């Protein structure tokens, strides 16, 4: 019952309704399960962070499919090798797997998140933005 009630938070159509529903669920469960209410309210910012992104991204963000694909690809190659002489060999293999996946995404033009709505997330930096410290060509302070 608790899990089903908590699941009602996420399918709300707007960010405001998501946060309002979390407060409502916390109050509903609070009388019977005070620890659950405290956990929900403590984790409110993390639980509702997805709502700050465009609604078109919400379903993709909630999915773990890309991470599972990376894990499957890595595991398949690790199973072939089975024994690694050192940690660097393992890091090298995992890096190769990730680079291969990156190259696939570059070579075959497909997008996980819609390009148009990505513009809502990224804002251009003003030209007078200060250079980051410890970067090449950064002015000495």
């Amino acid at each position: 019952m608790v899990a089903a009630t908590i699941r009602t938070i996420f399918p709300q159509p707007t960010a405001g309704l998501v946060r309002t529903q979390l407060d409502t669920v916390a109050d509903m469960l609070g009388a019977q399960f005070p620890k659950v209410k405290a956990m929900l309210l403590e984790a409110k910012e993390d639980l509702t962070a997805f709502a700050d992104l465009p609604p078109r991204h919400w379903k993709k963000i909630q999915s773990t499919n890309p991470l599972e694909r990376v894990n499957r690809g890595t595991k398949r190659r690790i199973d072939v090798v089975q024994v690694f002489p050192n940690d660097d060999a393992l890091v090298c293999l995992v890096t190769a797997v990730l680079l291969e996946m990156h190259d696939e995404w570059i070579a075959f033009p497909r997008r996980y998140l819609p390009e148009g709505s990505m513009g809502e997330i990224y804002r251009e930096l003003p030209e007078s933005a200060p250079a980051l410290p410890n970067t090449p060509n950064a002015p000495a302070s």
Side-chain angles (χ1 to χ4, degrees), residues 24-37:
T24 304
V25 166
D27 290 339
M28 285 173 42
L29 296 173
Q32 199 171 10
F33 306 101
K35 288 183 179 179
V36 172
K37 178 179 180 176

Side-chain angles (χ1 to χ4, degrees), residues 96-118:
V97 170
L98 293 174
L99 283 171
E100 179 184 329
M101 288 181 178
H102 174 72
D103 289 345
E104 286 176 17
W105 281 88
I106 296 283
F108 304 107
R110 49 186 172 169
R111 298 214 176 267
Y112 189 69
L113 298 172
E115 185 175 6
S117 57
M118 290 300 288

Side-chain angles (χ1 to χ4, degrees), residues 47-94:
L47 288 172
T48 61
F50 74 93
D52 293 330
L53 298 170
R56 293 175 63 188
H57 295 191
W58 291 3
K59 286 288 183 196
K60 297 279 189 168
I61 292 168
Q62 292 172 1
S63 172
T64 59
N65 289 345
L67 181 59
E68 290 171 10
R69 182 171 181 262
V70 169
N71 289 342
R72 276 194 315 271
T74 305
K75 184 178 183 321
R76 186 174 59 245
R77 287 168 180 90
I78 287 174
D79 286 346
V80 171
V81 177
Q82 291 186 355
V83 178
F84 291 92
N86 55 38
D87 290 345
D88 290 339
L90 178 61
V91 169
C92 184
L93 178 75
V94 171

